[in-house]
Amino acid sequence: MCECCSGHPDIYLPQMATITKRRMLNGTELFLHLEMDSGEDLQYKPGQFVEVSLAGIGEAPISISSSPTQKGLELVVRNVGSLTKAIHKLQVGDKLGIRGPYGTTYPIEEAKGKDLVFICGGIGLVPQRSFIRYALDHRSDYGKIIVLIGTKCYSMRLFREEIALWQERRDMTVLETIDEAHDCWDGNVGVVTTLIPKIENELPGSLVLICGPPIMYKFVLISLAEAQVPEENIYVNLERRMKCGVGKCGHCQINDKYVCQDGPVFRYSDLALVPEAI
């Protein structure tokens, strides 16, 4: 039954959006800025995601990278399959289907007045950027802002120009590392956990927000435990497990939790009885 006949919105019916900007961030990540064809901004909060579709090809959950304080919607799409390969071929003026937003958000209200530490591994910077930009646009609402960024290699770094601007600011601290040494890199070399001792004194009283590849969580959480960060002060983003976005397919189910509905942003202490979640 169609939407007009049922009187209820079709949860699978996308809105159309137009690509207004595009650029490659590295060899596999495509940055897109979109405007909704309705003329109204999508209403979302940092941490949420949307389902992105191309008719006749498919649909996939993609994290929102922009802040709701700005105009339009920004996404980063990694070229890993038939859908994302097709999206990479799109140009300014082409259209995408957008469903959502879905999922839980970063604790933007609870975090007010507190220090924030963002730990980002690889493409995990993409959803974290939404809250980082939001906090910078509401700078007086938050305490210290510290961002740790780890990337596998020099060529895979994301948002290089924006990170450079963040590093010039006096009201935030940004430390970056790459796993593999490079002739053009004179910064820290090593995984992102090698940056944690540099800010260890800031950790116990901060809210810590983590997003990155699965292997990263285990070692970051060990480092945070050694720094005596309370588990209730840690938030993890598990967006990698999602599929349909509405809790129907079960692809992201972990025991009694659906990542697309109960997450993707979880307070770490809430996952204490779900050991396979991390």
Side-chain angles (χ1 to χ4, degrees):
M1 182 179 292
C2 65
E3 180 180 353
C4 61
C5 296
S6 68
H8 300 288
D10 187 335
I11 60 173
Y12 297 110
L13 186 66
Q15 304 178 61
M16 298 310 295
T18 300
I19 298 171
T20 54
K21 298 176 186 175
R22 72 177 301 284
R23 70 176 189 277
M24 294 300 296
L25 296 178
N26 57 32
T28 55
E29 264 75 38
L30 171 67
F31 169 87
L32 295 174
H33 183 279
L34 301 109
E35 300 284 351
M36 304 305 296
D37 287 2
S38 66
E40 299 180 358
D41 283 333
L42 195 70
Q43 299 300 305
Y44 64 90
K45 293 181 179 178
Q48 291 189 292
F49 67 98
V50 291
E51 294 283 343
V52 178
S53 61
L54 270 178
I57 299 180
E59 183 182 60
I62 303 290
S63 299
I64 298 172
S65 191
S66 49
S67 165
T69 52
Q70 65 183 88
K71 184 74 175 175
L73 181 70
E74 293 179 349
L75 308 173
V76 176
V77 181
R78 172 171 286 182
N79 189 353
V80 292
S82 57
L83 173 63
T84 53
K85 182 179 180 180
I87 292 175
H88 271 238
K89 293 179 180 178
L90 299 179
Q91 302 298 320
V92 171
D94 289 335
K95 296 184 183 298
L96 283 170
I98 300 291
R99 278 199 296 125
Y102 297 118
T104 56
T105 75
Y106 285 113
I108 56 176
E109 294 299 324
E110 179 184 338
K112 287 182 177 177
K114 299 180 179 177
D115 298 337
L116 306 178
V117 175
F118 296 88
I119 301 178
C120 317
I123 200 169
L125 173 61
V126 170
Q128 300 263 64
R129 176 177 176 261
S130 179
F131 190 14
I132 294 169
R133 295 188 68 156
Y134 181 90
L136 292 176
D137 286 340
H138 296 84
R139 190 64 191 88
S140 62
D141 287 346
Y142 300 96
K144 296 178 181 176
I145 297 177
I146 299 173
V147 183
L148 307 184
I149 302 169
T151 311
K152 183 177 180 180
C153 61
Y154 181 81
S155 63
M156 293 296 290
R157 295 169 62 224
L158 302 172
F159 298 111
R160 302 180 189 192
E161 297 83 2
E162 187 167 358
I163 291 171
L165 293 174
W166 289 350
Q167 290 173 327
E168 291 176 0
R169 294 179 65 132
R170 296 184 176 181
D171 60 352
M172 69 185 299
T173 299
V174 181
L175 302 178
E176 190 177 6
T177 185
I178 56 177
D179 293 2
E180 303 166 359
H182 190 279
D183 291 342
C184 296
W185 179 257
D186 60 0
N188 193 84
V189 176
V191 295
V192 73
T193 50
T194 63
L195 298 176
I196 292 177
K198 301 178 187 294
I199 57 131
E200 197 167 29
N201 293 336
E202 307 288 349
L203 286 170
S206 299
L207 288 186
V208 182
L209 309 112
I210 310 168
C211 190
I215 189 64
M216 187 192 86
Y217 289 88
K218 175 183 177 181
F219 295 101
V220 168
L221 291 168
I222 290 173
S223 297
L224 296 181
E226 291 173 348
Q228 299 183 330
V229 180
E231 290 187 355
E232 58 268 25
N233 286 1
I234 300 172
Y235 288 82
V236 295
N237 190 325
L238 303 182
E239 46 88 29
R240 66 187 183 278
R241 297 177 182 269
M242 298 177 300
K243 184 68 174 178
C244 74
V246 291
K248 300 295 186 183
C249 73
H251 187 270
C252 66
Q253 186 174 5
I254 309 172
N255 291 346
D256 63 339
K257 297 185 183 301
Y258 287 84
V259 175
C260 67
Q261 298 285 292
D262 302 310
V265 178
F266 290 92
R267 189 193 293 266
Y268 180 48
S269 56
D270 293 338
L271 297 176
L273 300 179
V274 193
E276 63 268 40
I278 301 297

